[in-house]
Amino acid sequence: MGKEIDKKEKSSPTEEQQKILESEVKNLVISASAGSGKTYILIEKLKSLICEKKVKVERLLVLTFTKVAAEEIKARLTNAILSMKPTKQMLESLDSLPLSDISTIDSFCEKIIKRNINRLNLDENFTILDEKNSYRLKSLAFSSTFSHFAQTESEKFDEIYLAFKKNKKSIEECVYFLQDFFSAINDESEKLDIFENQISLLNQKAEKRICNYFNDCFVNAKDSLNKVCQADLTNSQKKFVSSLEEILSVPLEGSLFDLCQKFNFYSLPVLRGRQSSDVKIPLEEAKSYVKLVFEMAKKYS
């Protein structure tokens, strides 16, 4: 780990990164993809503030989303300071790092609350809700609401329950998704409009992908049927092929729901009697592709 850190610390910044390091602008937004060196630039910027501009660590506020990221920044900043010529100010900075405000957003907010607990109507023994307990409370709330809704709004409940194929877990996951989605939107008046637009786009993308999936299955099924010589087939085999070809002739157009409903009117043919492998394998293969379409259609009809 130490060698890896040293390697990153000694790498030279790119032209764009150098501009950021030399910038004196106070309000600066840096947007870059993962692995592009954002943490490296942040460390270099902090090192410059501490070592060159003599800014005390106590005056810095560095917030991250995860504890791992905060600890990594502290560790790499410590290594960066240790690599420089030791001074009194450098030693003071090292002593201050463990208790500095380089932490997660949650930890920083917790520290602010504890510092001002006497001004707030809160129990001083409060704790920060972690992800595990948060999920447990959400699950309890969902189960209670689910039961209440089933008892008091039975007609609406049945409509939703059937739409999700009586899958309670799917409903729960959908509710959590909606909660996260709406929580990320600040403007209350725009929440439904944004949601409807997003859902419309997602539905269009989903329908296109499913129709492409149907088309791929149909192409594969037809390719399998082309492997057999129609003239050599028995009447039973020809009937089997005819049934598959009728299904494969269904136009893949219109709404996804209507298309799936069409497939529900058909049933998969059965290949009866003994078959030679050179006939049975491609015919069963073609049937398996059509079966995939039927299984998908059943979910969306």
Side-chain angles (χ1 to χ4, degrees), residues 218 246-255 258-259 262-263 266:
F218 273 22
E246 184 181 355
I247 297 170
L248 296 174
S249 67
V250 174
L252 300 178
E253 56 190 30
S255 72
D258 290 340
L259 181 58
K262 289 179 183 178
F263 289 130
Y266 292 93

Side-chain angles (χ1 to χ4, degrees), residues 102-290:
I102 300 177
S103 65
T104 63
I105 297 173
D106 289 350
S107 296
F108 177 71
C109 291
E110 181 182 9
K111 184 185 290 187
I112 294 297
I113 292 172
K114 285 182 176 179
R115 285 176 183 171
N116 300 275
I117 195 68
N118 294 331
R119 303 181 185 182
L120 303 169
N121 186 26
L122 288 175
D123 186 336
E124 62 181 11
N125 295 318
F126 76 92
T127 57
I128 300 294
L129 188 65
D130 59 29
E131 189 174 344
K132 183 179 180 180
N133 284 319
S134 174
Y135 182 83
R136 182 177 63 84
L137 290 176
K138 283 200 299 185
S139 185
L140 287 172
F142 171 80
S143 295
S144 176
T145 304
F146 187 85
S147 299
H148 177 76
F149 188 49
Q151 294 170 9
T152 60
E153 299 284 351
S154 58
E155 189 173 332
K156 291 181 180 178
F157 173 83
D158 289 342
E159 185 178 344
I160 294 174
Y161 197 44
L162 290 173
F164 280 85
K165 309 295 184 183
K166 299 183 179 181
N167 190 327
K168 181 181 176 182
K169 189 65 179 177
S170 293
I171 300 175
E172 184 176 4
E173 290 173 354
C174 183
V175 169
Y176 294 161
F177 168 79
L178 291 175
Q179 181 190 31
D180 292 340
F181 179 87
F182 285 123
S183 296
I185 302 174
N186 294 322
D187 194 332
E188 294 287 335
S189 63
E190 294 183 1
K191 282 188 174 182
L192 285 178
D193 288 339
I194 294 173
F195 176 71
E196 288 176 356
N197 290 334
Q198 289 294 321
I199 289 298
S200 178
L201 288 173
L202 287 173
N203 282 339
Q204 289 175 20
K205 289 181 179 178
E207 287 196 10
K208 185 176 181 180
R209 290 183 66 178
I210 294 170
C211 285
N212 287 339
Y213 174 77
F214 287 166
N215 184 66
D216 290 343
C217 288
F218 273 22
V219 169
N220 289 332
K222 290 174 181 177
D223 287 344
S224 296
L225 290 180
N226 288 334
K227 294 176 183 177
V228 297
C229 179
Q230 298 280 349
D232 297 335
L233 297 179
T234 64
N235 289 334
S236 175
Q237 292 167 344
K238 288 179 180 179
K239 187 176 180 181
F240 178 90
V241 171
S242 178
S243 296
L244 286 182
E245 288 178 336
E246 184 181 355
I247 297 170
L248 296 174
S249 67
V250 174
L252 300 178
E253 56 190 30
S255 72
L256 177 64
F257 178 80
D258 290 340
L259 181 58
C260 291
Q261 287 285 70
K262 289 179 183 178
F263 289 130
N264 287 336
F265 285 109
Y266 292 93
S267 58
L268 288 171
V270 178
L271 192 58
R272 304 183 185 281
R274 288 189 174 186
Q275 321 290 331
S276 60
S277 60
D278 58 332
V279 172
K280 182 178 180 180
I281 291 175
L283 292 186
E284 288 292 356
E285 191 178 65
K287 179 181 175 180
S288 69
Y289 286 119
V290 175

